[in-house]
PDB file of all heavy atoms in Angstrom:
ATOM      1  N   THR A  10      14.209  -5.299   4.331  1.00  0.00           N
ATOM      2  CA  THR A  10      13.739  -3.943   4.732  1.00  0.00           C
ATOM      3  C   THR A  10      12.211  -3.876   4.837  1.00  0.00           C
ATOM      4  O   THR A  10      11.482  -4.654   4.212  1.00  0.00           O
ATOM      5  CB  THR A  10      14.208  -2.911   3.679  1.00  0.00           C
ATOM      6  OG1 THR A  10      13.489  -3.104   2.451  1.00  0.00           O
ATOM      7  CG2 THR A  10      15.769  -3.029   3.334  1.00  0.00           C
ATOM      8  N   GLY A  11      11.760  -3.006   5.673  1.00  0.00           N
ATOM      9  CA  GLY A  11      10.269  -2.878   5.906  1.00  0.00           C
ATOM     10  C   GLY A  11       9.710  -4.266   6.401  1.00  0.00           C
ATOM     11  O   GLY A  11       8.627  -4.589   5.967  1.00  0.00           O
ATOM     12  N   ALA A  12      10.415  -4.848   7.321  1.00  0.00           N
ATOM     13  CA  ALA A  12       9.981  -6.294   7.684  1.00  0.00           C
ATOM     14  C   ALA A  12       9.143  -6.216   8.969  1.00  0.00           C
ATOM     15  O   ALA A  12       8.944  -7.313   9.521  1.00  0.00           O
ATOM     16  CB  ALA A  12      11.297  -7.093   7.869  1.00  0.00           C
ATOM     17  N   ASN A  13       8.640  -5.089   9.448  1.00  0.00           N
ATOM     18  CA  ASN A  13       7.862  -5.119  10.598  1.00  0.00           C
ATOM     19  C   ASN A  13       6.405  -5.453  10.359  1.00  0.00           C
ATOM     20  O   ASN A  13       5.653  -5.741  11.334  1.00  0.00           O
ATOM     21  CB  ASN A  13       7.972  -3.753  11.309  1.00  0.00           C
ATOM     22  CG  ASN A  13       7.618  -2.634  10.480  1.00  0.00           C
ATOM     23  OD1 ASN A  13       8.402  -2.222   9.607  1.00  0.00           O
ATOM     24  ND2 ASN A  13       6.370  -2.081  10.579  1.00  0.00           N
ATOM     25  N   ARG A  14       5.994  -5.456   9.126  1.00  0.00           N
ATOM     26  CA  ARG A  14       4.595  -5.911   8.794  1.00  0.00           C
ATOM     27  C   ARG A  14       4.496  -6.339   7.318  1.00  0.00           C
ATOM     28  O   ARG A  14       5.452  -6.175   6.557  1.00  0.00           O
ATOM     29  CB  ARG A  14       3.647  -4.754   9.115  1.00  0.00           C
ATOM     30  CG  ARG A  14       3.791  -3.462   8.273  1.00  0.00           C
ATOM     31  CD  ARG A  14       2.812  -2.399   8.706  1.00  0.00           C
ATOM     32  NE  ARG A  14       3.135  -1.069   8.244  1.00  0.00           N
ATOM     33  CZ  ARG A  14       2.738  -0.527   7.188  1.00  0.00           C
ATOM     34  NH1 ARG A  14       1.708  -1.165   6.464  1.00  0.00           N
ATOM     35  NH2 ARG A  14       3.025   0.668   6.819  1.00  0.00           N
ATOM     36  N   GLY A  15       3.291  -6.802   6.960  1.00  0.00           N
ATOM     37  CA  GLY A  15       3.018  -7.032   5.552  1.00  0.00           C
ATOM     38  C   GLY A  15       3.904  -8.220   5.002  1.00  0.00           C
ATOM     39  O   GLY A  15       4.341  -9.169   5.679  1.00  0.00           O
ATOM     40  N   ILE A  16       4.172  -8.097   3.666  1.00  0.00           N
ATOM     41  CA  ILE A  16       4.936  -9.113   2.969  1.00  0.00           C
ATOM     42  C   ILE A  16       6.401  -9.260   3.516  1.00  0.00           C
ATOM     43  O   ILE A  16       6.883 -10.305   3.631  1.00  0.00           O
ATOM     44  CB  ILE A  16       4.992  -8.753   1.465  1.00  0.00           C
ATOM     45  CG1 ILE A  16       3.563  -8.692   0.878  1.00  0.00           C
ATOM     46  CG2 ILE A  16       5.799  -9.779   0.757  1.00  0.00           C
ATOM     47  CD1 ILE A  16       3.499  -8.101  -0.507  1.00  0.00           C
ATOM     48  N   GLY A  17       6.928  -8.139   3.903  1.00  0.00           N
ATOM     49  CA  GLY A  17       8.330  -8.157   4.477  1.00  0.00           C
ATOM     50  C   GLY A  17       8.422  -8.988   5.756  1.00  0.00           C
ATOM     51  O   GLY A  17       9.332  -9.793   5.927  1.00  0.00           O
ATOM     52  N   GLY A  34      14.723  -5.127   9.254  1.00  0.00           N
ATOM     53  CA  GLY A  34      14.937  -3.705   9.079  1.00  0.00           C
ATOM     54  C   GLY A  34      13.591  -2.982   9.308  1.00  0.00           C
ATOM     55  O   GLY A  34      12.620  -3.328   8.605  1.00  0.00           O
ATOM     56  N   ALA A  35      13.570  -2.019  10.237  1.00  0.00           N
ATOM     57  CA  ALA A  35      12.326  -1.364  10.527  1.00  0.00           C
ATOM     58  C   ALA A  35      12.624   0.111  10.819  1.00  0.00           C
ATOM     59  O   ALA A  35      13.575   0.351  11.634  1.00  0.00           O
ATOM     60  CB  ALA A  35      11.538  -2.040  11.669  1.00  0.00           C
ATOM     61  N   ARG A  36      11.896   0.993  10.231  1.00  0.00           N
ATOM     62  CA  ARG A  36      12.234   2.433  10.519  1.00  0.00           C
ATOM     63  C   ARG A  36      11.853   2.819  11.938  1.00  0.00           C
ATOM     64  O   ARG A  36      12.395   3.769  12.475  1.00  0.00           O
ATOM     65  CB  ARG A  36      11.560   3.398   9.422  1.00  0.00           C
ATOM     66  CG  ARG A  36      10.175   3.348   9.403  1.00  0.00           C
ATOM     67  CD  ARG A  36       9.641   4.359   8.367  1.00  0.00           C
ATOM     68  NE  ARG A  36       8.251   4.044   7.940  1.00  0.00           N
ATOM     69  CZ  ARG A  36       7.500   4.801   7.287  1.00  0.00           C
ATOM     70  NH1 ARG A  36       7.989   5.955   6.842  1.00  0.00           N
ATOM     71  NH2 ARG A  36       6.291   4.477   7.013  1.00  0.00           N
ATOM     72  N   ASP A  37      10.856   2.127  12.458  1.00  0.00           N
ATOM     73  CA  ASP A  37      10.461   2.382  13.815  1.00  0.00           C
ATOM     74  C   ASP A  37      10.831   1.222  14.641  1.00  0.00           C
ATOM     75  O   ASP A  37      10.319   0.087  14.505  1.00  0.00           O
ATOM     76  CB  ASP A  37       8.880   2.545  13.859  1.00  0.00           C
ATOM     77  CG  ASP A  37       8.326   2.788  15.294  1.00  0.00           C
ATOM     78  OD1 ASP A  37       8.956   2.308  16.264  1.00  0.00           O
ATOM     79  OD2 ASP A  37       7.283   3.500  15.431  1.00  0.00           O
ATOM     80  N   LYS A  40       8.269  -1.005  16.424  1.00  0.00           N
ATOM     81  CA  LYS A  40       7.529  -1.833  15.563  1.00  0.00           C
ATOM     82  C   LYS A  40       8.329  -2.980  15.096  1.00  0.00           C
ATOM     83  O   LYS A  40       7.885  -4.131  15.013  1.00  0.00           O
ATOM     84  CB  LYS A  40       7.053  -1.098  14.315  1.00  0.00           C
ATOM     85  CG  LYS A  40       5.988  -0.092  14.601  1.00  0.00           C
ATOM     86  CD  LYS A  40       5.511   0.554  13.287  1.00  0.00           C
ATOM     87  CE  LYS A  40       4.473   1.698  13.497  1.00  0.00           C
ATOM     88  NZ  LYS A  40       4.203   2.358  12.237  1.00  0.00           N
ATOM     89  N   LEU A  60      16.093   0.984  10.438  1.00  0.00           N
ATOM     90  CA  LEU A  60      16.480   1.226   9.093  1.00  0.00           C
ATOM     91  C   LEU A  60      15.353   2.000   8.338  1.00  0.00           C
ATOM     92  O   LEU A  60      14.260   1.444   8.018  1.00  0.00           O
ATOM     93  CB  LEU A  60      16.759  -0.041   8.317  1.00  0.00           C
ATOM     94  CG  LEU A  60      17.012  -0.058   6.810  1.00  0.00           C
ATOM     95  CD1 LEU A  60      18.079   0.940   6.480  1.00  0.00           C
ATOM     96  CD2 LEU A  60      17.413  -1.393   6.295  1.00  0.00           C
ATOM     97  N   ASP A  61      15.595   3.301   8.071  1.00  0.00           N
ATOM     98  CA  ASP A  61      14.716   4.048   7.279  1.00  0.00           C
ATOM     99  C   ASP A  61      15.406   4.187   5.900  1.00  0.00           C
ATOM    100  O   ASP A  61      16.396   4.832   5.706  1.00  0.00           O
ATOM    101  CB  ASP A  61      14.527   5.519   7.846  1.00  0.00           C
ATOM    102  CG  ASP A  61      13.541   6.336   7.018  1.00  0.00           C
ATOM    103  OD1 ASP A  61      13.328   6.014   5.855  1.00  0.00           O
ATOM    104  OD2 ASP A  61      13.027   7.235   7.684  1.00  0.00           O
ATOM    105  N   VAL A  62      14.751   3.539   4.909  1.00  0.00           N
ATOM    106  CA  VAL A  62      15.444   3.394   3.554  1.00  0.00           C
ATOM    107  C   VAL A  62      15.427   4.713   2.774  1.00  0.00           C
ATOM    108  O   VAL A  62      16.090   4.807   1.752  1.00  0.00           O
ATOM    109  CB  VAL A  62      14.843   2.252   2.711  1.00  0.00           C
ATOM    110  CG1 VAL A  62      14.908   0.962   3.423  1.00  0.00           C
ATOM    111  CG2 VAL A  62      13.371   2.644   2.270  1.00  0.00           C
ATOM    112  N   ALA A  63      14.700   5.777   3.341  1.00  0.00           N
ATOM    113  CA  ALA A  63      14.661   7.006   2.713  1.00  0.00           C
ATOM    114  C   ALA A  63      15.833   7.943   3.236  1.00  0.00           C
ATOM    115  O   ALA A  63      16.033   8.998   2.620  1.00  0.00           O
ATOM    116  CB  ALA A  63      13.298   7.758   2.933  1.00  0.00           C
ATOM    117  N   ASN A  87      14.970  -6.057  -0.729  1.00  0.00           N
ATOM    118  CA  ASN A  87      14.463  -4.657  -0.741  1.00  0.00           C
ATOM    119  C   ASN A  87      12.959  -4.688  -0.852  1.00  0.00           C
ATOM    120  O   ASN A  87      12.380  -4.661  -1.981  1.00  0.00           O
ATOM    121  CB  ASN A  87      15.060  -3.922  -1.975  1.00  0.00           C
ATOM    122  CG  ASN A  87      16.509  -3.493  -1.684  1.00  0.00           C
ATOM    123  OD1 ASN A  87      16.841  -2.905  -0.681  1.00  0.00           O
ATOM    124  ND2 ASN A  87      17.367  -3.739  -2.665  1.00  0.00           N
ATOM    125  N   ASN A  88      12.332  -4.721   0.366  1.00  0.00           N
ATOM    126  CA  ASN A  88      10.854  -4.958   0.397  1.00  0.00           C
ATOM    127  C   ASN A  88      10.138  -3.610   0.744  1.00  0.00           C
ATOM    128  O   ASN A  88       9.013  -3.395   0.273  1.00  0.00           O
ATOM    129  CB  ASN A  88      10.604  -5.959   1.460  1.00  0.00           C
ATOM    130  CG  ASN A  88       9.031  -5.947   1.884  1.00  0.00           C
ATOM    131  OD1 ASN A  88       8.206  -6.487   1.151  1.00  0.00           O
ATOM    132  ND2 ASN A  88       8.765  -5.281   2.958  1.00  0.00           N
ATOM    133  N   ALA A  89      10.791  -2.781   1.557  1.00  0.00           N
ATOM    134  CA  ALA A  89      10.049  -1.513   1.997  1.00  0.00           C
ATOM    135  C   ALA A  89       9.535  -0.738   0.815  1.00  0.00           C
ATOM    136  O   ALA A  89      10.231  -0.601  -0.202  1.00  0.00           O
ATOM    137  CB  ALA A  89      11.090  -0.679   2.862  1.00  0.00           C
ATOM    138  N   GLY A  90       8.274  -0.342   0.938  1.00  0.00           N
ATOM    139  CA  GLY A  90       7.787   0.448  -0.165  1.00  0.00           C
ATOM    140  C   GLY A  90       6.615   1.245   0.248  1.00  0.00           C
ATOM    141  O   GLY A  90       5.956   1.012   1.315  1.00  0.00           O
ATOM    142  N   ILE A  91       6.257   2.294  -0.491  1.00  0.00           N
ATOM    143  CA  ILE A  91       5.083   3.106  -0.198  1.00  0.00           C
ATOM    144  C   ILE A  91       4.216   3.356  -1.454  1.00  0.00           C
ATOM    145  O   ILE A  91       4.745   3.275  -2.580  1.00  0.00           O
ATOM    146  CB  ILE A  91       5.455   4.485   0.396  1.00  0.00           C
ATOM    147  CG1 ILE A  91       6.464   5.200  -0.491  1.00  0.00           C
ATOM    148  CG2 ILE A  91       5.990   4.331   1.857  1.00  0.00           C
ATOM    149  CD1 ILE A  91       6.666   6.686  -0.135  1.00  0.00           C
ATOM    150  N   VAL A 118      11.979   6.219  -1.280  1.00  0.00           N
ATOM    151  CA  VAL A 118      11.782   4.998  -0.591  1.00  0.00           C
ATOM    152  C   VAL A 118      11.855   3.749  -1.538  1.00  0.00           C
ATOM    153  O   VAL A 118      12.624   2.766  -1.204  1.00  0.00           O
ATOM    154  CB  VAL A 118      10.318   4.999   0.082  1.00  0.00           C
ATOM    155  CG1 VAL A 118      10.001   3.638   0.720  1.00  0.00           C
ATOM    156  CG2 VAL A 118      10.260   6.176   1.071  1.00  0.00           C
ATOM    157  N   ASN A 119      11.149   3.802  -2.658  1.00  0.00           N
ATOM    158  CA  ASN A 119      10.966   2.664  -3.471  1.00  0.00           C
ATOM    159  C   ASN A 119      12.143   2.320  -4.431  1.00  0.00           C
ATOM    160  O   ASN A 119      12.289   1.187  -4.889  1.00  0.00           O
ATOM    161  CB  ASN A 119       9.730   2.794  -4.338  1.00  0.00           C
ATOM    162  CG  ASN A 119       8.446   2.821  -3.560  1.00  0.00           C
ATOM    163  OD1 ASN A 119       8.474   2.683  -2.321  1.00  0.00           O
ATOM    164  ND2 ASN A 119       7.274   2.806  -4.209  1.00  0.00           N
ATOM    165  N   LEU A 145      11.414  -6.018  -4.433  1.00  0.00           N
ATOM    166  CA  LEU A 145      10.009  -6.174  -4.461  1.00  0.00           C
ATOM    167  C   LEU A 145       9.443  -5.085  -5.421  1.00  0.00           C
ATOM    168  O   LEU A 145       9.360  -3.932  -5.024  1.00  0.00           O
ATOM    169  CB  LEU A 145       9.424  -6.031  -3.083  1.00  0.00           C
ATOM    170  CG  LEU A 145       9.244  -7.241  -2.160  1.00  0.00           C
ATOM    171  CD1 LEU A 145       8.062  -8.100  -2.527  1.00  0.00           C
ATOM    172  CD2 LEU A 145      10.476  -8.085  -2.128  1.00  0.00           C
ATOM    173  N   SER A 146       9.191  -5.493  -6.572  1.00  0.00           N
ATOM    174  CA  SER A 146       8.601  -4.588  -7.596  1.00  0.00           C
ATOM    175  C   SER A 146       7.060  -4.804  -7.625  1.00  0.00           C
ATOM    176  O   SER A 146       6.471  -5.216  -6.717  1.00  0.00           O
ATOM    177  CB  SER A 146       9.296  -4.769  -8.927  1.00  0.00           C
ATOM    178  OG  SER A 146       8.787  -3.831  -9.862  1.00  0.00           O
ATOM    179  N   SER A 147       6.523  -4.404  -8.813  1.00  0.00           N
ATOM    180  CA  SER A 147       5.058  -4.580  -8.923  1.00  0.00           C
ATOM    181  C   SER A 147       4.745  -4.623 -10.431  1.00  0.00           C
ATOM    182  O   SER A 147       5.392  -4.103 -11.283  1.00  0.00           O
ATOM    183  CB  SER A 147       4.433  -3.328  -8.332  1.00  0.00           C
ATOM    184  OG  SER A 147       3.115  -3.265  -8.718  1.00  0.00           O
ATOM    185  N   GLY A 148       3.669  -5.323 -10.695  1.00  0.00           N
ATOM    186  CA  GLY A 148       3.109  -5.389 -12.067  1.00  0.00           C
ATOM    187  C   GLY A 148       2.729  -3.896 -12.531  1.00  0.00           C
ATOM    188  O   GLY A 148       2.693  -3.630 -13.739  1.00  0.00           O
ATOM    189  N   TYR A 162       3.978   5.819  -7.896  1.00  0.00           N
ATOM    190  CA  TYR A 162       4.279   4.385  -7.608  1.00  0.00           C
ATOM    191  C   TYR A 162       4.798   3.689  -8.848  1.00  0.00           C
ATOM    192  O   TYR A 162       5.714   2.956  -8.860  1.00  0.00           O
ATOM    193  CB  TYR A 162       3.007   3.762  -7.001  1.00  0.00           C
ATOM    194  CG  TYR A 162       3.247   2.342  -6.524  1.00  0.00           C
ATOM    195  CD1 TYR A 162       3.852   2.017  -5.360  1.00  0.00           C
ATOM    196  CD2 TYR A 162       2.732   1.242  -7.309  1.00  0.00           C
ATOM    197  CE1 TYR A 162       3.974   0.735  -4.916  1.00  0.00           C
ATOM    198  CE2 TYR A 162       2.920  -0.053  -6.857  1.00  0.00           C
ATOM    199  CZ  TYR A 162       3.518  -0.351  -5.684  1.00  0.00           C
ATOM    200  OH  TYR A 162       3.685  -1.599  -5.191  1.00  0.00           O
ATOM    201  N   LYS A 166       8.491   1.960  -9.502  1.00  0.00           N
ATOM    202  CA  LYS A 166       8.691   0.457  -9.690  1.00  0.00           C
ATOM    203  C   LYS A 166       9.291   0.222 -11.086  1.00  0.00           C
ATOM    204  O   LYS A 166      10.017  -0.693 -11.302  1.00  0.00           O
ATOM    205  CB  LYS A 166       7.336  -0.220  -9.497  1.00  0.00           C
ATOM    206  CG  LYS A 166       6.849  -0.159  -8.090  1.00  0.00           C
ATOM    207  CD  LYS A 166       7.776  -0.837  -7.034  1.00  0.00           C
ATOM    208  CE  LYS A 166       7.112  -0.966  -5.678  1.00  0.00           C
ATOM    209  NZ  LYS A 166       7.987  -1.536  -4.643  1.00  0.00           N
ATOM    210  N   CYS A 191       7.236  -9.530  -8.624  1.00  0.00           N
ATOM    211  CA  CYS A 191       5.917  -8.958  -8.265  1.00  0.00           C
ATOM    212  C   CYS A 191       5.163 -10.003  -7.393  1.00  0.00           C
ATOM    213  O   CYS A 191       5.107 -11.156  -7.851  1.00  0.00           O
ATOM    214  CB  CYS A 191       5.115  -8.641  -9.533  1.00  0.00           C
ATOM    215  SG  CYS A 191       3.423  -8.264  -9.113  1.00  0.00           S
ATOM    216  N   PRO A 192       4.736  -9.535  -6.217  1.00  0.00           N
ATOM    217  CA  PRO A 192       4.047 -10.543  -5.345  1.00  0.00           C
ATOM    218  C   PRO A 192       2.579 -10.786  -5.672  1.00  0.00           C
ATOM    219  O   PRO A 192       2.010 -11.678  -5.116  1.00  0.00           O
ATOM    220  CB  PRO A 192       4.133  -9.764  -3.978  1.00  0.00           C
ATOM    221  CG  PRO A 192       4.140  -8.381  -4.266  1.00  0.00           C
ATOM    222  CD  PRO A 192       4.881  -8.225  -5.601  1.00  0.00           C
ATOM    223  N   GLY A 193       2.048 -10.068  -6.714  1.00  0.00           N
ATOM    224  CA  GLY A 193       0.644 -10.151  -6.971  1.00  0.00           C
ATOM    225  C   GLY A 193      -0.112  -9.153  -6.130  1.00  0.00           C
ATOM    226  O   GLY A 193       0.563  -8.298  -5.398  1.00  0.00           O
ATOM    227  N   TRP A 194      -1.448  -9.304  -6.048  1.00  0.00           N
ATOM    228  CA  TRP A 194      -2.221  -8.360  -5.241  1.00  0.00           C
ATOM    229  C   TRP A 194      -2.471  -8.984  -3.808  1.00  0.00           C
ATOM    230  O   TRP A 194      -3.184  -9.964  -3.717  1.00  0.00           O
ATOM    231  CB  TRP A 194      -3.460  -8.079  -5.925  1.00  0.00           C
ATOM    232  CG  TRP A 194      -4.341  -6.963  -5.267  1.00  0.00           C
ATOM    233  CD1 TRP A 194      -3.858  -5.943  -4.467  1.00  0.00           C
ATOM    234  CD2 TRP A 194      -5.712  -6.778  -5.365  1.00  0.00           C
ATOM    235  NE1 TRP A 194      -4.900  -5.161  -4.081  1.00  0.00           N
ATOM    236  CE2 TRP A 194      -6.064  -5.654  -4.634  1.00  0.00           C
ATOM    237  CE3 TRP A 194      -6.728  -7.397  -6.049  1.00  0.00           C
ATOM    238  CZ2 TRP A 194      -7.354  -5.234  -4.505  1.00  0.00           C
ATOM    239  CZ3 TRP A 194      -8.108  -6.979  -6.009  1.00  0.00           C
ATOM    240  CH2 TRP A 194      -8.373  -5.842  -5.167  1.00  0.00           C
ATOM    241  N   VAL A 195      -1.750  -8.486  -2.813  1.00  0.00           N
ATOM    242  CA  VAL A 195      -1.698  -9.107  -1.524  1.00  0.00           C
ATOM    243  C   VAL A 195      -2.403  -8.347  -0.427  1.00  0.00           C
ATOM    244  O   VAL A 195      -2.333  -7.140  -0.360  1.00  0.00           O
ATOM    245  CB  VAL A 195      -0.165  -9.288  -1.165  1.00  0.00           C
ATOM    246  CG1 VAL A 195      -0.066 -10.077   0.147  1.00  0.00           C
ATOM    247  CG2 VAL A 195       0.598 -10.048  -2.286  1.00  0.00           C
ATOM    248  N   LYS A 196      -3.124  -9.092   0.407  1.00  0.00           N
ATOM    249  CA  LYS A 196      -3.801  -8.546   1.501  1.00  0.00           C
ATOM    250  C   LYS A 196      -2.886  -8.006   2.556  1.00  0.00           C
ATOM    251  O   LYS A 196      -2.405  -8.785   3.483  1.00  0.00           O
ATOM    252  CB  LYS A 196      -4.651  -9.681   2.233  1.00  0.00           C
ATOM    253  CG  LYS A 196      -6.036  -9.940   1.596  1.00  0.00           C
ATOM    254  CD  LYS A 196      -6.781 -10.896   2.540  1.00  0.00           C
ATOM    255  CE  LYS A 196      -7.708 -11.868   1.780  1.00  0.00           C
ATOM    256  NZ  LYS A 196      -7.942 -11.874   0.522  1.00  0.00           N
ATOM    257  N   THR A 197      -2.530  -6.736   2.461  1.00  0.00           N
ATOM    258  CA  THR A 197      -1.672  -6.024   3.468  1.00  0.00           C
ATOM    259  C   THR A 197      -2.248  -4.683   3.692  1.00  0.00           C
ATOM    260  O   THR A 197      -3.298  -4.325   3.050  1.00  0.00           O
ATOM    261  CB  THR A 197      -0.230  -5.907   2.976  1.00  0.00           C
ATOM    262  OG1 THR A 197      -0.265  -5.092   1.792  1.00  0.00           O
ATOM    263  CG2 THR A 197       0.345  -7.276   2.717  1.00  0.00           C
ATOM    264  N   ASP A 198      -1.653  -3.851   4.484  1.00  0.00           N
ATOM    265  CA  ASP A 198      -2.117  -2.452   4.620  1.00  0.00           C
ATOM    266  C   ASP A 198      -2.143  -1.833   3.225  1.00  0.00           C
ATOM    267  O   ASP A 198      -2.952  -1.011   2.884  1.00  0.00           O
ATOM    268  CB  ASP A 198      -1.222  -1.679   5.574  1.00  0.00           C
ATOM    269  CG  ASP A 198      -1.419  -2.161   6.981  1.00  0.00           C
ATOM    270  OD1 ASP A 198      -2.419  -2.886   7.270  1.00  0.00           O
ATOM    271  OD2 ASP A 198      -0.558  -1.830   7.823  1.00  0.00           O
ATOM    272  N   MET A 199      -0.990  -2.104   2.406  1.00  0.00           N
ATOM    273  CA  MET A 199      -0.935  -1.512   1.077  1.00  0.00           C
ATOM    274  C   MET A 199      -1.966  -2.156   0.172  1.00  0.00           C
ATOM    275  O   MET A 199      -2.690  -1.425  -0.573  1.00  0.00           O
ATOM    276  CB  MET A 199       0.410  -1.695   0.477  1.00  0.00           C
ATOM    277  CG  MET A 199       0.610  -1.017  -0.877  1.00  0.00           C
ATOM    278  SD  MET A 199       2.149  -1.291  -1.670  1.00  0.00           S
ATOM    279  CE  MET A 199       3.310  -0.401  -0.710  1.00  0.00           C
ATOM    280  N   GLY A 200      -2.087  -3.458   0.083  1.00  0.00           N
ATOM    281  CA  GLY A 200      -2.965  -4.101  -0.834  1.00  0.00           C
ATOM    282  C   GLY A 200      -4.409  -3.989  -0.497  1.00  0.00           C
ATOM    283  O   GLY A 200      -5.226  -4.028  -1.415  1.00  0.00           O
ATOM    284  N   ALA A 204      -7.783  -7.537  -1.537  1.00  0.00           N
ATOM    285  CA  ALA A 204      -6.648  -8.241  -2.373  1.00  0.00           C
ATOM    286  C   ALA A 204      -6.931  -9.681  -2.325  1.00  0.00           C
ATOM    287  O   ALA A 204      -7.545 -10.292  -1.427  1.00  0.00           O
ATOM    288  CB  ALA A 204      -5.354  -7.939  -1.766  1.00  0.00           C
TER     289      ALA A 204
HETATM  290  P1  LIG B   1       2.822  -2.593   3.575  1.00  0.00           P
HETATM  291  O1  LIG B   1       1.911  -3.584   4.277  1.00  0.00           O
HETATM  292  O2  LIG B   1       2.304  -1.186   3.429  1.00  0.00           O
HETATM  293  O3  LIG B   1       4.164  -2.490   4.389  1.00  0.00           O
HETATM  294  C1  LIG B   1       5.156  -1.577   3.925  1.00  0.00           C
HETATM  295  C2  LIG B   1       6.500  -1.807   4.758  1.00  0.00           C
HETATM  296  O4  LIG B   1       7.413  -0.853   4.240  1.00  0.00           O
HETATM  297  C3  LIG B   1       6.160  -1.468   6.263  1.00  0.00           C
HETATM  298  O5  LIG B   1       7.022  -2.260   7.034  1.00  0.00           O
HETATM  299  C4  LIG B   1       6.663  -0.022   6.378  1.00  0.00           C
HETATM  300  O6  LIG B   1       7.081   0.378   7.608  1.00  0.00           O
HETATM  301  C5  LIG B   1       7.876  -0.121   5.404  1.00  0.00           C
HETATM  302  N1  LIG B   1       8.318   1.241   4.941  1.00  0.00           N
HETATM  303  C6  LIG B   1       7.688   2.213   4.387  1.00  0.00           C
HETATM  304  N2  LIG B   1       8.462   3.315   4.233  1.00  0.00           N
HETATM  305  C7  LIG B   1       9.688   2.937   4.794  1.00  0.00           C
HETATM  306  C8  LIG B   1      10.898   3.535   4.957  1.00  0.00           C
HETATM  307  N3  LIG B   1      11.145   4.837   4.568  1.00  0.00           N
HETATM  308  N4  LIG B   1      11.978   2.946   5.529  1.00  0.00           N
HETATM  309  C9  LIG B   1      11.737   1.574   5.900  1.00  0.00           C
HETATM  310  N5  LIG B   1      10.626   1.013   5.849  1.00  0.00           N
HETATM  311  C10 LIG B   1       9.566   1.624   5.259  1.00  0.00           C
HETATM  312  O7  LIG B   1       3.225  -3.065   2.179  1.00  0.00           O
HETATM  313  P2  LIG B   1       3.270  -4.562   1.542  1.00  0.00           P
HETATM  314  O8  LIG B   1       2.009  -4.794   0.867  1.00  0.00           O
HETATM  315  O9  LIG B   1       3.789  -5.490   2.538  1.00  0.00           O
HETATM  316  O10 LIG B   1       4.316  -4.264   0.317  1.00  0.00           O
HETATM  317  C11 LIG B   1       5.685  -4.760   0.431  1.00  0.00           C
HETATM  318  C12 LIG B   1       6.348  -4.554  -0.924  1.00  0.00           C
HETATM  319  O11 LIG B   1       5.648  -5.210  -1.858  1.00  0.00           O
HETATM  320  C13 LIG B   1       6.341  -3.129  -1.389  1.00  0.00           C
HETATM  321  O12 LIG B   1       7.530  -2.761  -2.036  1.00  0.00           O
HETATM  322  C14 LIG B   1       5.212  -2.973  -2.340  1.00  0.00           C
HETATM  323  O13 LIG B   1       5.360  -1.997  -3.298  1.00  0.00           O
HETATM  324  C15 LIG B   1       5.247  -4.352  -2.931  1.00  0.00           C
HETATM  325  N6  LIG B   1       3.992  -4.837  -3.498  1.00  0.00           N
HETATM  326  C16 LIG B   1       2.874  -4.982  -2.792  1.00  0.00           C
HETATM  327  C17 LIG B   1       1.743  -5.410  -3.390  1.00  0.00           C
HETATM  328  C18 LIG B   1       0.453  -5.677  -2.633  1.00  0.00           C
HETATM  329  O14 LIG B   1      -0.653  -5.999  -3.188  1.00  0.00           O
HETATM  330  N7  LIG B   1       0.462  -5.549  -1.292  1.00  0.00           N
HETATM  331  C19 LIG B   1       1.603  -5.582  -4.738  1.00  0.00           C
HETATM  332  C20 LIG B   1       2.842  -5.368  -5.533  1.00  0.00           C
HETATM  333  C21 LIG B   1       3.965  -4.990  -4.931  1.00  0.00           C
HETATM  334  P3  LIG B   1       6.108   1.198   8.672  1.00  0.00           P
HETATM  335  O15 LIG B   1       5.300   0.156   9.367  1.00  0.00           O
HETATM  336  O16 LIG B   1       7.104   1.945   9.518  1.00  0.00           O
HETATM  337  O17 LIG B   1       5.330   2.103   7.807  1.00  0.00           O
END
Side-chain angles (χ1 to χ4, degrees):
T10 70
N13 54 286
R14 62 185 164 97
I16 300 168
R36 61 178 162 168
D37 179 328
K40 288 185 186 171
L60 173 54
D61 184 337
V62 303
N87 281 313
N88 166 80
I91 54 170
V118 176
N119 293 5
L145 272 279
S146 182
S147 167
Y162 186 76
K166 295 296 190 183
C191 168
W194 187 24
V195 182
K196 277 189 214 348
T197 61
D198 291 345
M199 183 186 289

